[in-house]
Amino acid sequence: MAALVGAAERAGVERFVYLSFAGAEFGLGSPMERAKLVVERRLRAAGLRAVIVRPDAYQDIHLAPLGRFDVAGGKVTVIGRGDTRRRPVAVDDVAALVAAVALEPDPPEVVEFGGPEAISRNQAIAVAERATGRRMSRTRMPAAAARLGMRLLARRNDALTSVFAAGLHQDRVEARWDDGPLRQRGIAGRSATEFIEEQARR
């Protein structure tokens, strides 16, 4: 990505829209976090107009089987306590915002945002249980175990280290952002509850 920024500079690109993630500066030190922050710093030093887009966790991943939230299978994994409220956002809503800031005459340097609903992992489980009429089977991983996993996997498996870190991030970092950037651009964001209920109807 840093090479792409350099190529954009040399080509005289006027605007570079980069997709990072909300709360990236929290400091867990995961490979993904380090990579995102390195590119953000590179962009700020570049001689082009940069827009850093920082969405909260994608509903389509973190509230779906890939993110260990399997509504159809009735299984969910929770890292930490699961009480921290975040604002999961739809991939389509993020794409609409990226398209908007790519064309705006004067976009902000950083756009940090989430979906319209602040919800914790435990609250999301309750939504799934109401929607399906059955109890979700829970696997709980203490935060200390996830941190240990990060340490053991460091420099061996960047992808899995970042997965543990993402779970810790969602358990530790309360959303200080909202869906204002979506609403300002006329994007009616899909709520986490709507997404979960859609999964239950499938």
Side-chain angles (χ1 to χ4, degrees):
M1 187 58 69
L4 184 59
V5 174
E9 280 186 294
R10 292 189 295 275
V13 169
E14 294 182 7
R15 184 177 304 180
F16 196 110
V17 180
Y18 178 62
L19 201 58
S20 186
F21 66 93
E25 73 289 347
F26 181 66
L28 285 172
S30 74
M32 184 176 74
E33 178 187 278
R34 290 196 302 269
K36 293 291 188 184
L37 291 176
V38 164
V39 176
E40 286 191 16
R41 287 193 293 271
R42 175 70 179 88
L43 278 168
R44 289 188 175 102
L48 47 80
R49 180 72 177 268
V51 185
I52 296 167
V53 177
R54 287 177 154 198
D56 205 329
Y58 298 127
Q59 297 169 4
D60 314 66
I61 295 173
H62 293 272
L63 294 178
L66 184 60
R68 304 288 185 174
F69 196 99
D70 187 351
V71 176
K75 297 181 292 186
V76 62
T77 297
V78 181
I79 294 179
R81 294 185 177 182
D83 292 328
T84 303
R85 297 206 312 166
R86 298 294 294 260
R87 289 182 172 269
V89 63
V91 167
D92 287 348
D93 295 335
V94 176
L97 183 135
V98 167
V101 298
L103 300 174
E104 286 174 11
D106 188 27
E109 181 182 334
V110 178
V111 185
E112 195 165 40
F113 67 102
E117 181 181 14
I119 190 170
S120 71
R121 189 80 165 176
N122 290 331
Q123 289 171 330
I125 293 168
V127 170
E129 290 178 335
R130 285 196 302 272
T132 60
R134 66 177 187 274
R135 181 172 172 76
M136 297 274 281
S137 172
R138 297 156 170 82
T139 299
R140 293 192 177 271
M141 178 184 290
R147 284 194 293 270
L148 177 61
M150 284 182 63
R151 286 198 297 273
L152 293 175
L153 291 166
R155 306 184 193 286
R156 296 180 187 177
N157 189 322
D158 285 354
L160 196 50
T161 301
S162 293
V163 168
F164 279 125
L168 280 172
H169 191 277
Q170 290 187 52
D171 186 58
R172 292 287 181 255
V173 183
E174 191 90 19
R176 61 176 183 268
W177 44 85
D178 59 23
D179 64 333
L182 294 175
R183 289 184 281 104
Q184 290 163 13
R185 291 163 178 85
I187 302 166
R190 179 181 64 195
S191 74
T193 292
E194 289 170 334
F195 179 77
I196 294 166
E197 290 173 345
E198 285 173 12
Q199 306 312 300
R201 289 193 293 268
R202 291 183 179 175

